[in-house]
């Protein structure tokens, strides 16, 4: 998979499948399932670290998790999130941080949240050889500024701003744009007006691809918090909890481990080794 391949998929009307992954086993399973793109999202702050937002996630943590994912896969295109305030300072510092994530994490692209206000950073990154995926609509790193986790693009002013942001990001060289919690109608218009793919999450069926969080679509959480834009395809949270509960039960009643799980010494050595008498 490559940025060129993704753009061709848009042109050919072939949907792009994308999922988050944060470690080796989840990335391995995603690749085996045939996913096109893996996002090492700063959403790990919420679903892995138990944070209230993505803001506390550091660059070092993103590098660490990206390493785990890229170590696992060969075919999917791996994109890693630039964490909060690592690409909003000087261009030199931003490019330094982007270079660290690419070089140490071994991802193939980075994702940045924002529109017009980050276009110069996107352009400089692309000119430096870094593929950049944009992200507009609900931008979790700005959640306190935009007033919470709310659907974006409901009125004309918001819609015009998001269309402008998308076009500016395309002009700056972004190879794709995530549309998060954007109205169906607006997502369709943006998708039609861009030559680069749009990847939707809570943005309806008209985007060129879709992305969901690993833990959401598999209900790998406790408690599971339903989201309108998420379809659950499995419930591994219950399976894990039930499996561990059965293990605890068998340890308590001494049915595990049984003899089939035990190892035994050779009969000739068992006597003298453990204080018994050897034969002969």
């Amino acid at each position: 998979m490559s940025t060129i391949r993704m753009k061709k998929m848009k042109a050919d009307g072939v949907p792009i499948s994308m999922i988050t992954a944060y470690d080796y086993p989840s990335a391995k399973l995603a690749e085996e399932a045939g996913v096109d793109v893996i996002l090492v999202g700063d959403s790990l702050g919420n679903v892995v670290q138990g944070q209230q937002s993505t803001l506390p996630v550091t660059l070092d943590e993103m590098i660490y998790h990206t390493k785990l994912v890229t170590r696992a896969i060969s075919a999917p295109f791996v994109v890693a999130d630039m964490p909060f305030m690592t690409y909003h300072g000087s261009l030199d510092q931003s490019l330094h941080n982007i270079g660290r994530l690419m070089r140490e994490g071994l991802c193939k692209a980075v994702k940045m949240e924002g529109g017009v206000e980050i276009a110069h950073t996107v352009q400089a990154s692309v000119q430096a050889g870094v593929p950049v995926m944009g992200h507009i609509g609900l931008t979790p790193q700005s959640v306190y500024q935009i007033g919470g986790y709310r659907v974006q693009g409901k009125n004309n002013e918001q819609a015009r701003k998001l269309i402008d942001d998308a076009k500016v990001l395309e002009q700056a060289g972004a190879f794709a744009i995530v549309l998060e919690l954007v109205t169906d109608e607006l997502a369709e218009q943006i998708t039609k007006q861009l030559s680069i793919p749009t990847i939707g999450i809570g943005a309806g069926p008209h985007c060129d691809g879709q992305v969901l969080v690993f833990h959401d679509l598999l209900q790998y959480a406790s408690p599971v918090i339903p989201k309108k834009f998420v379809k659950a395809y499995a419930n591994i949270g219950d399976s894990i909890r039930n499996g561990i509960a059965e293990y605890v039960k068998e340890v308590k009643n001494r049915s595990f481990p049984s003899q089939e799980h035990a190892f035994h010494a050779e009969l000739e050595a068992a006597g003298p080794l453990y204080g018994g008498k050897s034969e002969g």
Side-chain angles (χ1 to χ4, degrees):
M1 181 59 66
S2 65
T3 59
I4 295 174
R5 171 62 179 154
M6 277 183 262
K7 191 169 182 179
K8 187 175 188 304
M9 290 173 74
K10 175 186 175 81
D12 294 343
V14 179
I16 299 166
S17 61
M18 181 168 160
I19 190 173
T20 64
Y22 312 107
D23 57 25
Y24 185 97
S26 60
K28 199 74 174 174
L29 290 168
E31 177 173 35
E32 291 170 355
V35 73
D36 297 313
V37 182
I38 291 177
L39 171 65
V40 188
D42 60 358
S43 51
L44 68 90
N46 304 95
V47 299
V48 176
Q49 297 178 341
Q51 307 277 8
Q52 293 300 308
S53 73
T54 64
L55 272 61
V57 178
T58 67
L59 180 60
D60 285 339
E61 288 168 341
M62 285 304 305
I63 290 170
Y64 171 77
H65 283 275
T66 303
K67 282 181 181 178
L68 302 184
V69 169
T70 56
R71 191 176 298 153
I73 59 89
S74 57
F77 192 85
V78 178
V79 182
D81 267 330
M82 290 300 299
F84 179 63
M85 291 301 294
T86 59
Y87 54 101
H88 295 88
S90 69
L91 280 179
D92 285 346
Q93 187 60 51
S94 296
L95 291 174
H96 172 77
N97 293 335
I98 292 165
R100 280 198 64 202
L101 186 53
M102 294 283 290
R103 185 171 56 252
E104 299 176 42
L106 300 179
C107 55
K108 295 179 180 176
V110 299
K111 180 166 74 65
M112 302 180 193
E113 296 182 11
V116 173
E117 67 277 8
I118 66 160
H120 65 295
T121 305
V122 173
Q123 184 175 30
S125 302
V126 172
Q127 289 175 346
V130 177
V132 177
M133 177 178 282
H135 183 158
I136 61 174
L138 173 68
T139 48
Q141 291 176 13
S142 306
V143 66
Y144 298 124
Q145 187 179 49
I146 62 179
Y149 296 93
R150 299 176 179 177
V151 176
Q152 303 295 301
K154 283 188 169 183
N155 59 54
N156 289 339
E157 182 181 355
Q158 286 184 352
R160 282 194 295 268
K161 171 70 164 61
L162 289 173
I163 290 172
D164 289 344
D165 284 340
K167 290 181 176 179
V168 167
L169 288 173
E170 179 180 35
Q171 291 167 3
F175 71 87
I177 299 177
V178 170
L179 304 179
E180 181 169 359
L181 285 190
V182 172
T183 63
D184 179 24
E185 296 82 4
L186 178 58
E188 182 177 14
Q189 285 302 313
I190 291 174
T191 300
K192 287 179 178 178
Q193 292 184 38
L194 298 185
S195 64
I196 59 175
T198 58
I199 309 293
I201 177 167
H206 300 293
C207 295
D208 299 304
Q210 298 293 330
V211 59
L212 282 178
V213 170
F214 185 94
H215 294 62
D216 286 346
L217 74 92
L218 298 177
Q219 294 194 32
Y220 181 18
S222 181
V224 172
I225 301 174
K227 299 180 178 72
K228 177 180 173 62
F229 59 89
V230 173
K231 178 178 178 180
Y233 290 85
N235 187 340
I236 64 172
D238 281 355
S239 297
I240 290 171
R241 185 184 302 105
N242 293 340
I244 295 173
E246 188 66 19
Y247 161 72
V248 171
K249 175 184 175 182
E250 292 194 1
V251 169
K252 297 294 187 181
N253 66 25
R254 296 187 180 277
S255 61
F256 176 83
S258 64
Q259 284 301 312
E260 67 179 295
H261 306 110
F263 302 93
H264 301 280
E266 296 180 6
L267 290 177
E268 295 80 4
L273 183 61
Y274 299 111
K277 294 181 180 180
S278 60
E279 296 181 0

